[in-house]
Amino acid sequence: MPAHALKRPTLLALCACVLVAQSMVAAVNLLIPQLNSSGLHPSHTEILWTVDAYVIVFAGLLIPAGALGDRYGRKGALLTGLALFAAGAATSALAHDPALLIAGRGLSGAGAALITPATMSILVQLAGPEHRAQAMASWTLAMGLGGLAGNLGGGLAGQFLSWRALFAAMVPLAAVLAVAVAVTTPRTARSAPARPDPVGTLLLTAGLVAVLFGIIEGPDHGWTSVRILTAFGTGVLLVAAFTGHALRSRAPLFDPRVFRSGGLRATTLGLATGFFGLFALFFVNSQYLQEVKGFEPAVTGVAIVPLIVGMALVPKFAARWSARPRPVVGTGLALIGLGLLAASTADAHTPYALYACWLLVISTGTGLAMPALTLGVVLSLPTHQAGLGSGLGTSAREIGAALGVAVAGTALAGHADFAHGMGPALRVVGVTVLVATAVVVTGYRDSGRPARAASPAPVTVEEPVS
């Protein structure tokens, strides 16, 4: 099949998969009140793990899942991911105790880790250089809409249905998506001979999970507590051990020397920065609209819809400027930071129309920066490593998202109530985004194009796999 044979049904099916996977990151947040009063009687810690299990497993497995999809077959990885996602959702829907609910969330997170890099990798393989920017813009839009769909779906389920209904609905939805992928998506060639690296996979996954655990649990246990310091220390040691193993191995999961590319470093930091700001906003937004403005859960889900506008319209224009990402990325990330600073002035008396305008500023920045950053990861790695690139980029997104929630939560904890803490929390996040933006822009070469990582081309296996 020619490299440019990306058809609209394939694009829609792949984008729908990543939208659904991303939606379950945010959806459960609006179900917390209902879970607290449910027959499961979860403790505060069990509620936290119900929220976090999906994110920790999802982000922790992204890089290995992307690399393994490149090696063993991207379509097969995608279909396997959808099956795991559905199995986890069914387990959560039928859970009779908190432990089973948490296990189901983790299993769905493992499925999402296979789904997300596989979808981008297939798009890169099929789109060809001339259509790649538009394909990445569509994929990035699907990621953004996933967060919004999660807020909307969680709000509607929290007000009109039950938390079990939300998880149960994911099972037939995943089945429909699997059929759509099987029918519309062609097989792609494996990038290298299938040589497993179980040691590298275990070291990297365990290291990322430990770091993510520290980030997510830090606000609750204290950043200097023994548990959190142990998590960070363990994570650093495991990632260092993976690096040493990969540098010595003849067939590592991936070569850490790809980070010699300044463009790859800049784009991954940029993706983390954008989602750092965006998910800090998601975390604060739901509480502001419900606790301060008095909105119902369903209305809260709808009230963040202005973020759709920029994400839906701006990427189509941003894709035209893909040859010069430096000003596009700088402008987009700066708008996110400035929009957060503007939102930090909101209080109980702020008209929703004005608040929505600030959301539009943030959404415009997201729509500008994210497609260029996503494409930058692809350009910084050889095409045959597109799955790895997607795993790196999406892992940066999820780590940034976890950090955004953690930083906002820590800033809020230092104040008597949410109404007094929201402004300082968003100001901290907004200033951090602006400082990181300067670092990202500096990381681009003067030509405005990220540097392509130097990597020896592996043997390509032309035999297609599913």
Side-chain angles (χ1 to χ4, degrees), residues 27-52:
V28 74
N29 290 316
L30 293 174
L31 296 177
I32 290 175
Q34 197 178 91
L35 284 168
N36 276 325
S37 60
S38 70
L40 298 183
H41 305 295
S43 67
H44 175 68
T45 300
E46 287 167 337
I47 285 290
L48 287 177
W49 274 104
T50 299
V51 175
D52 295 343

Side-chain angles (χ1 to χ4, degrees), residues 77 102 111 124 149-150 157 162 167 170 191 206 208 215 218 233 238 254 278 315 352 401 407:
I102 294 167
V124 169
S162 71
F167 292 119
M170 295 297 107
S191 64
L208 289 174
I215 292 171
L238 288 171
F254 83 92
L278 200 59
Y352 171 73
V407 169

Side-chain angles (χ1 to χ4, degrees), residues 263-462:
L264 183 60
R265 294 195 302 270
T267 51
T268 51
L269 177 60
L271 288 168
T273 299
F275 271 64
F276 172 83
L278 200 59
F279 272 75
L281 173 69
F282 284 151
F283 178 75
V284 171
N285 174 77
S286 61
Q287 297 178 75
Y288 168 68
L289 293 176
Q290 291 184 84
E291 296 179 18
V292 179
K293 299 295 286 182
F295 289 8
E296 295 292 333
V299 178
T300 298
V302 174
I304 203 171
V305 166
L307 277 173
I308 294 176
V309 177
M311 292 182 186
L313 299 180
V314 176
K316 295 182 180 295
F317 298 100
R320 301 176 185 176
W321 306 321
S322 60
R324 298 194 57 81
R326 190 177 191 178
V328 174
V329 168
T331 302
L333 292 179
L335 285 175
I336 294 174
L338 293 172
L340 289 166
L341 292 179
S344 72
T345 64
D347 56 25
H349 305 292
T350 301
Y352 171 73
L354 180 59
Y355 182 72
C357 289
W358 297 330
L359 296 184
L360 286 171
V361 172
I362 296 171
S363 72
T364 300
T366 304
L368 270 176
M370 290 302 127
L373 289 166
T374 302
L375 185 59
V377 174
V378 175
L379 293 177
S380 296
L381 292 170
T383 304
H384 60 263
Q385 291 183 316
L388 170 61
S390 175
L392 288 171
T394 309
S395 185
R397 287 182 179 90
E398 299 308 320
I399 291 173
L403 274 171
V405 172
V407 169
T410 301
L412 283 169
H415 294 81
D417 54 42
F418 177 84
H420 290 91
M422 174 181 165
L426 287 182
R427 281 193 288 275
V428 168
V429 174
V431 169
T432 303
V433 168
L434 292 176
V435 172
T437 298
V439 177
V440 170
V441 172
T442 303
Y444 275 88
R445 287 182 170 181
D446 291 340
S447 64
R449 184 178 292 278
R452 185 177 291 276
S455 176
V459 177
T460 300
V461 179
E462 297 299 335

Side-chain angles (χ1 to χ4, degrees), residues 154-330:
L156 291 172
Q159 185 165 349
F160 299 113
L161 300 171
S162 71
W163 61 269
R164 293 186 187 275
L166 179 67
F167 292 119
M170 295 297 107
V171 179
L173 180 56
V176 170
L177 291 175
V179 172
V181 168
V183 171
T184 66
T185 305
R187 299 175 178 180
T188 58
R190 289 182 297 187
S191 64
R195 296 179 185 176
D197 182 16
V199 174
T201 301
L202 180 62
L203 287 172
L204 182 60
T205 301
L208 289 174
V209 167
V211 170
L212 283 161
F213 173 85
I215 292 171
I216 292 172
E217 298 293 319
D220 290 292
H221 296 284
W223 294 104
T224 58
S225 66
V226 173
R227 176 180 296 191
I228 300 306
L229 292 178
T230 300
F232 282 132
T234 301
V236 170
L237 288 175
L238 288 171
V239 172
F242 165 78
T243 301
H245 165 79
L247 292 174
R248 293 190 304 268
S249 176
R250 296 181 60 186
L253 182 70
F254 83 92
D255 189 344
R257 286 171 290 194
V258 297
F259 282 105
R260 289 176 178 173
S261 164
L264 183 60
R265 294 195 302 270
T267 51
T268 51
L269 177 60
L271 288 168
T273 299
F275 271 64
F276 172 83
L278 200 59
F279 272 75
L281 173 69
F282 284 151
F283 178 75
V284 171
N285 174 77
S286 61
Q287 297 178 75
Y288 168 68
L289 293 176
Q290 291 184 84
E291 296 179 18
V292 179
K293 299 295 286 182
F295 289 8
E296 295 292 333
V299 178
T300 298
V302 174
I304 203 171
V305 166
L307 277 173
I308 294 176
V309 177
M311 292 182 186
L313 299 180
V314 176
K316 295 182 180 295
F317 298 100
R320 301 176 185 176
W321 306 321
S322 60
R324 298 194 57 81
R326 190 177 191 178
V328 174
V329 168

